[in-house]
Amino acid sequence: MSDAIIKTEHLRFAYAAEGGLSPVVLDGVDLEIEEGSFVAVLGHNGSGKSTLAKHMNAILLPTGGKVYVDGMDTCEDADLLDIRRTVGMVFQNPDNQIVANVVEEDVAFAPENLGVPPAEIRKRVDDALAMVGMSEYAAHAPHLLSGGQKQRIAIAGVIAMRPRCVVLDEPTAMLDPIGRDEVLKTIRLLNREYGMTVVLITHHMDEAAQADRLVVMAKGKVIADGSPRQVFQRVEELRAVGLTVPETVELCWELRREGLDVPLDAISDEECAQALYQILK
Amino acid sequence: MALKDITLGQYFPGNSILHRLDPRTKILLTVIYIVALFLAKQLAGYGILLLVLAAAIAVSRVKLKVILKGLKPILFIIIITGILNLFWTPGDILWQWGFLKLTVQGIWAAVFMVLRISMLIICTFLLTYTTSPILLTDGLENLLGPLKKLHVPVHELAMMMSIALRFIPTLIEETDKIMSAQKARGADFDTGNLLDKAKALIPLLVPLFISAFRRADELAIAMECRCYHGGEGRTRLRQLKYKTPDIVGIAGGLLLCAGVGVLGHFGL
Amino acid sequence: MEPIIQTEKLCHTYSAGTPFERFALVDVDFTAYRGEYLGIIGHTGSGKSTLIQHLNGLLKPTSGRVLFEGQDIWESKERTRQTRFQVGLVFQYPEYQLFEETVYKDIAFGPKNMKLDDGEIDRRVRQSAEFVGLGPEILEQSPFELSGGQKRRVAIAGVIAMEPSVLILDEPTAGLDPVGVSDILRNIHDYHVAKNATIIIVSHSMEEVARTVDRLVVVDDARIPFSGTPREVFAHEEELVAMGLGVPQVTRVFHRLRRLGVDVDDTVYTMEQAKAAFLDVLKRKGAV
């Protein structure tokens, strides 16, 4: 498949421990991320979802199986920089990924590392800041910004590399609802307006619901893969692995148990209200 | 007092000509000025240098009060040096009390020494007051660039310095938070003797160190993800460029230094 | 109901008299009653963190008073100190304050500062570990070897061990997955029931507070615009949204249903209530 930007084949991973390998974190993951798609990876803590993310730009290397980024084997040392500039990575704590004490200097960090000419860096920095809606903060000190703003700067710092794919590892876990909204809006924009492939690692159902495709992980394996509508219908399976579903789906599911014929694919408030309305008619 | 109130970096943003000069120019001028201070021998030399410094302060628009405040921590050293020079310089005795001899030469030596130290400190302060830390780091890295050939890790040192500057506010905030959390569990940071106070710091320092290491770890990974691979082949967003004022400034500085040197040579 | 902690015209100003002056709290009258389960909601910077740090004397009011059991907590040094133990405060991400070699010693830090005897300290450490669901085998481990969720529970146990009659928790479930969230909420509930303690929980998640609290206090722009039962508070959907807050998802759905012309009780805020309200509409329709 040529249109898969990231591909894992029988990916297995276990951290090295004294006296051999510790328990397996990833246990045979086969996944293809199509270019231009918005994929959410859902799982509880310890399901292996963050470990999977770290394989997507060679921070971790498989102990079994293969990971390909745009056709490059992540185990090839020679391709390391190309892999990292193809797949950018945003982490949970925005404070710990901001390098410089001026916003635009920080966004310039990756292009500087790549040896991009100064005039081009200027353009990339301005573009990246505009894409995340932080242009007016170019000269600010990052530590005075809100959590959501900091995380948007971190995203700008990654997209200034002009990657084809951005992997975000629980980017909203430390943010308040306003910050979370800001970041999610930015992510959607990157995908819809700029065609960037987005992989969002999360344990928030409402965030996962916004993706085109939902991959659910448990115990190092993929246990469900499909559109949010398809996946959320499997309420009981999700609960069994420590996840919940959006309250809208849960309500429909509860009513179904009472013998009502409510569809389970009503995710948004409006869809749910309409579904309930239809029953009353 | 909250830790957050401490101003750091001692940089006062502004738009004076001194602020706008290339950081390398300012570093070089500071060095030239210090050399000139050591070449000055008598009143004429010191007078000229004092005038130049006063002019620079006026141009920078940094308040004199702020500058004098900076001298406070080393006031003790200045006074001691002054007294030593005052009483231990041999020459024409004006007044004597036991082993203390006050000489004409001593008075002059003390005045010059106090002036020299104060002016040296003030001119370095003026550099940090008018140059943002990040520019200062850039300037130093650039000026020390030739040392890379001698395998001095100039880029790495500059990177460390700028990361340290970046994380100072974060760690101060963190210290504040951990302190409050431990106080909520009854920790007492204020009372007791020195040993008690040192012991009381453990619940603060251990979490702080652990957090600093965790941050360092995460930052390192984030930097690698953004293709950081040392200074080789690295370009910069901000290009340092000498402009006309820089060239004029350095030329002026050199002339001043030479002038003071000549005056000193003739004992003026 | 008997008030346990109150603020009277509480004001707090940061960096007073400088250009950075900021009013974090303005004339706040706040009351928490003995044995109640209270939620405080407000967005970042609303003043809610400043408020809770006044309740156990970590911050001193710029003006106004803080009363614990009717007495001003700043009356004397000793009174302030005692209030710290009586009003336990668990900060956000409390796992970052752990520092001892063993879980046992870390939990014992608070009781030790209270100058309790060893037997009492031991009893409290073991009991509070039990409250947060940590087995005795974990007590001798280093807290740094534990998982994130376990670390958080150790930190909460460290405050519970002081046996405060008021337990305040700032975002106790931040960053946890759904299982971690319900575990922690259950632990807190257990403490509430066992000690008849007043619980004050600060949260961003409306679904979460809706499930747990008896009463809600809304903090916005350094003031308390309104408070009441979840039912009363969530009726202000528009105002809450304007404050960067919101209402639980089921409440939103039922508000919409009502706008579609359905005669349904739209003051529901939990799953059970929603289900019951909808079945009730169906029943009435069937009867007609």
Side-chain angles (χ1 to χ4, degrees):
Chain A
M1 286 258 295
S2 59
D3 55 354
I5 179 106
I6 298 169
K7 186 175 174 183
T8 72
E9 276 176 3
H10 315 303
L11 168 60
R12 289 173 59 82
F13 181 80
Y15 282 98
E18 290 162 43
L21 295 177
S22 60
V24 176
V25 187
L26 292 176
D27 188 8
V29 176
D30 289 284
L31 207 59
E32 285 187 18
I33 308 287
E34 270 174 62
E35 178 128 39
S37 61
F38 179 1
V39 181
V41 179
L42 195 61
H44 67 89
N45 291 345
S47 61
K49 61 185 193 304
S50 280
T51 310
L52 174 65
K54 292 194 173 83
H55 277 85
M56 292 180 172
N57 74 344
I59 299 172
L60 292 176
L61 298 175
T63 44
K66 286 282 177 201
V67 178
Y68 297 98
V69 168
D70 195 25
M72 296 175 278
D73 184 341
T74 58
C75 290
E76 278 305 325
D77 243 6
D79 292 335
L80 191 64
L81 277 189
D82 278 329
I83 290 169
R84 298 232 162 112
R85 89 161 103 191
T86 307
V87 177
M89 184 82 90
V90 176
F91 298 92
Q92 192 180 92
N93 189 338
D95 267 325
N96 298 352
Q97 29 188 338
I98 293 175
V99 186
N101 54 5
V102 178
V103 165
E104 63 174 13
E105 294 273 347
D106 184 74
V107 178
F109 183 69
E112 287 179 340
N113 291 332
L114 291 167
V116 172
E120 169 73 11
I121 298 181
R122 179 81 260 164
K123 190 174 164 351
R124 287 192 182 194
V125 168
D126 292 346
D127 288 353
L129 283 173
M131 280 160 85
V132 302
M134 290 291 290
S135 300
E136 57 188 303
Y137 293 93
H140 283 232
H143 73 271
L144 298 175
L145 302 176
S146 74
Q149 290 174 325
K150 280 189 218 171
Q151 197 61 296
R152 278 148 72 198
I153 296 303
I155 293 174
V158 166
I159 58 182
M161 290 195 293
R162 302 265 159 99
R164 283 159 61 193
C165 175
V166 182
V167 178
L168 304 105
D169 190 0
E170 300 198 40
T172 62
M174 302 185 74
L175 306 180
D176 62 9
I178 297 178
R180 177 176 297 167
D181 270 359
E182 285 172 22
V183 168
L184 278 175
K185 264 191 202 125
T186 308
I187 295 172
R188 277 203 308 269
L189 189 81
L190 290 183
N191 178 252
R192 308 249 156 99
E193 297 295 314
Y194 300 96
M196 214 172 274
T197 313
V198 170
V199 178
L200 173 66
I201 315 287
T202 182
H203 55 236
H204 284 284
M205 310 308 134
D206 41 344
E207 291 176 12
Q210 301 185 13
D212 307 327
R213 176 179 165 202
L214 194 51
V215 175
V216 183
M217 304 243 345
K219 291 188 187 146
K221 289 190 161 95
V222 173
I223 60 154
D225 185 350
S227 72
R229 270 172 219 289
Q230 293 164 342
V231 173
F232 283 140
Q233 298 195 18
R234 297 154 74 170
V235 177
E236 274 165 335
E237 274 172 81
L238 291 175
R239 283 196 177 160
V241 297
L243 295 170
T244 53
V245 292
E247 284 201 329
T248 44
V249 178
E250 192 181 343
L251 178 60
C252 295
W253 185 78
E254 289 282 344
L255 292 172
R256 264 176 97 97
R257 288 211 307 180
E258 297 293 323
L260 295 173
D261 184 26
V262 198
L264 276 181
D265 60 355
I267 296 174
S268 74
D269 303 348
E270 188 60 45
E271 284 169 342
C272 184
Q274 283 296 343
L276 297 180
Y277 187 59
Q278 292 307 320
I279 289 186
L280 292 171
K281 271 217 293 203
Chain B
M1 177 191 65
L3 282 163
K4 282 179 204 154
D5 294 341
I6 300 171
T7 50
L8 281 148
Q10 297 175 313
Y11 168 58
F12 295 94
N15 198 26
S16 73
I17 175 128
L18 223 53
H19 282 87
R20 278 179 283 135
L21 280 181
D22 188 286
R24 290 169 303 178
T25 308
K26 282 184 268 186
I27 296 169
L28 285 174
L29 281 177
T30 308
V31 173
I32 292 171
Y33 188 84
I34 291 171
V35 171
L37 266 179
F38 282 90
L39 290 175
K41 292 281 178 308
Q42 290 297 330
L43 204 55
Y46 278 104
I48 292 171
L49 288 174
L50 196 61
L51 273 176
V52 169
L53 191 61
I57 293 171
V59 167
S60 76
R61 300 215 187 97
V62 178
K63 286 200 185 87
L64 193 65
K65 210 170 82 187
V66 174
I67 287 171
L68 293 178
K69 220 168 120 190
L71 280 179
K72 236 180 176 173
I74 48 141
L75 200 62
F76 179 71
I77 299 173
I78 296 179
I79 291 172
I80 291 288
T81 322
I83 290 174
L84 285 179
N85 275 285
L86 199 58
F87 291 110
W88 271 270
T89 311
D92 313 323
I93 294 167
L94 284 177
W95 176 80
Q96 189 166 9
W97 185 75
F99 62 95
L100 292 175
K101 296 187 193 87
L102 189 66
T103 65
V104 182
Q105 286 82 351
I107 293 174
W108 282 115
V111 167
F112 288 147
M113 195 43 93
V114 166
L115 269 180
R116 183 182 284 175
I117 298 175
S118 315
M119 285 157 78
L120 192 146
I121 302 288
I122 290 173
C123 86
T124 355
F125 276 161
L126 206 55
L127 171 69
T128 60
Y129 285 163
T130 59
T131 317
S132 82
I134 200 155
L135 277 176
L136 205 57
T137 322
D138 275 8
L140 272 175
E141 180 178 359
N142 193 293
L143 282 174
L144 298 178
L147 291 179
K148 281 182 198 161
K149 292 211 176 71
L150 301 172
H151 299 289
V152 178
V154 175
H155 163 75
E156 283 74 9
L157 288 172
M159 184 56 94
M160 282 182 225
M161 212 168 121
S162 67
I163 288 176
L165 286 168
R166 149 74 185 86
F167 275 91
I168 286 170
T170 310
L171 289 178
I172 286 182
E173 202 178 301
E174 183 135 38
T175 310
D176 240 11
K177 248 190 238 163
I178 298 172
M179 233 166 144
S180 301
Q182 305 299 28
K183 272 191 202 159
R185 291 205 280 166
D188 187 352
F189 294 106
D190 306 320
T191 51
N193 58 34
L194 208 61
L195 189 68
D196 291 335
K197 276 188 184 165
K199 264 196 200 152
L201 284 179
I202 294 173
L204 173 65
L205 293 180
V206 172
L208 199 59
F209 273 112
I210 289 172
S211 143
F213 279 113
R214 195 192 62 245
R215 285 181 191 282
D217 222 31
E218 288 182 16
L219 184 72
I221 291 180
M223 284 169 71
E224 279 186 25
C225 284
R226 288 162 79 185
C227 299
Y228 180 69
H229 54 106
E232 212 174 308
R234 216 166 173 264
T235 46
R236 300 306 306 270
L237 165 66
R238 202 194 308 266
Q239 294 298 298
L240 295 178
K241 227 172 171 179
Y242 290 114
K243 296 188 202 110
T244 321
D246 295 300
I247 294 161
V248 174
I250 292 174
L254 286 173
L255 273 176
L256 174 74
C257 185
V260 172
V262 170
L263 283 176
H265 185 73
F266 290 111
L268 287 165
Chain C
M1 278 200 294
E2 175 201 354
I4 184 157
I5 216 165
Q6 280 171 295
T7 71
E8 285 176 355
K9 296 237 168 286
L10 175 63
C11 293
H12 194 86
T13 313
Y14 287 109
S15 312
T18 74
F20 306 106
E21 190 170 74
R22 199 165 63 78
F23 300 101
L25 292 175
V26 177
D27 286 339
V28 169
D29 293 322
F30 166 92
T31 308
Y33 299 95
R34 193 178 290 282
E36 82 169 332
Y37 208 121
L38 181 71
I40 297 183
I41 54 176
H43 71 83
T44 312
S46 60
K48 63 182 194 302
S49 297
T50 309
L51 174 63
I52 58 172
Q53 289 189 56
H54 276 90
L55 301 182
N56 77 338
L58 275 178
L59 288 177
K60 200 170 183 175
T62 306
S63 69
R65 297 203 302 164
V66 180
L67 308 176
F68 177 71
E69 292 179 331
Q71 257 181 302
D72 193 328
I73 68 167
W74 290 98
E75 216 172 59
S76 67
K77 253 195 158 158
E78 188 49 30
R79 177 94 189 135
T80 315
R81 196 173 154 70
Q82 285 311 318
T83 309
R84 293 249 167 100
F85 300 130
Q86 286 298 311
V87 182
L89 174 55
V90 179
F91 277 85
Q92 212 175 359
Y93 299 104
E95 55 273 28
Y96 295 148
Q97 79 200 26
L98 301 177
F99 71 99
E100 277 285 12
E101 298 154 66
T102 67
V103 170
Y104 186 99
K105 284 190 189 169
D106 210 290
I107 300 177
F109 182 65
K112 252 192 195 146
N113 286 328
M114 295 170 81
K115 311 261 184 309
L116 299 171
D117 65 61
D118 288 351
E120 178 65 8
I121 293 178
D122 186 69
R123 182 190 72 74
R124 289 188 174 204
V125 170
R126 291 182 191 282
Q127 200 188 29
S128 50
E130 215 178 299
F131 268 123
V132 296
L134 294 171
E137 72 285 355
I138 285 182
L139 289 177
E140 292 311 314
Q141 285 184 28
S142 157
F144 305 110
E145 289 167 1
L146 305 177
S147 75
Q150 283 176 317
K151 277 187 203 165
R152 178 148 325 162
R153 285 190 255 160
V154 172
I156 295 177
V159 174
I160 285 182
M162 302 191 300
E163 300 195 345
S165 46
V166 179
L167 179 62
I168 309 173
L169 304 105
D170 189 0
E171 295 278 340
T173 62
L176 297 179
D177 64 15
V179 175
V181 170
S182 48
D183 281 353
I184 294 270
L185 291 179
R186 201 180 43 244
N187 296 153
I188 298 167
H189 188 78
D190 288 349
Y191 182 73
H192 170 64
V193 172
K195 301 278 173 188
N196 189 30
T198 306
I199 305 289
I200 302 177
I201 192 164
V202 177
S203 180
H204 283 138
S205 162
M206 300 306 132
E207 284 81 8
E208 188 178 301
V209 290
R211 280 213 300 268
T212 47
V213 307
D214 307 327
R215 198 164 65 90
L216 271 176
V217 169
V218 182
V219 183
D220 184 56
D221 195 20
R223 289 169 178 86
I224 297 180
F226 48 90
S227 63
T229 62
R231 206 176 278 274
E232 289 162 358
V233 168
F234 290 139
H236 301 262
E237 180 175 352
E238 271 173 37
E239 284 146 282
L240 288 169
V241 169
M243 292 170 192
L245 299 168
V247 299
Q249 203 174 10
V250 284
T251 314
R252 294 203 301 266
V253 170
F254 275 60
H255 282 175
R256 276 169 195 267
L257 214 49
R258 185 151 197 116
R259 259 176 267 145
L260 287 170
V262 179
D263 179 24
V264 65
D265 174 14
D266 65 351
T267 63
V268 297
Y269 55 89
T270 67
M271 198 50 66
E272 293 71 39
Q273 292 168 353
K275 194 171 146 187
F278 190 75
L279 291 175
D280 178 57
V281 177
L282 274 180
K283 213 190 282 167
R284 274 184 284 142
K285 267 192 83 138
V288 172

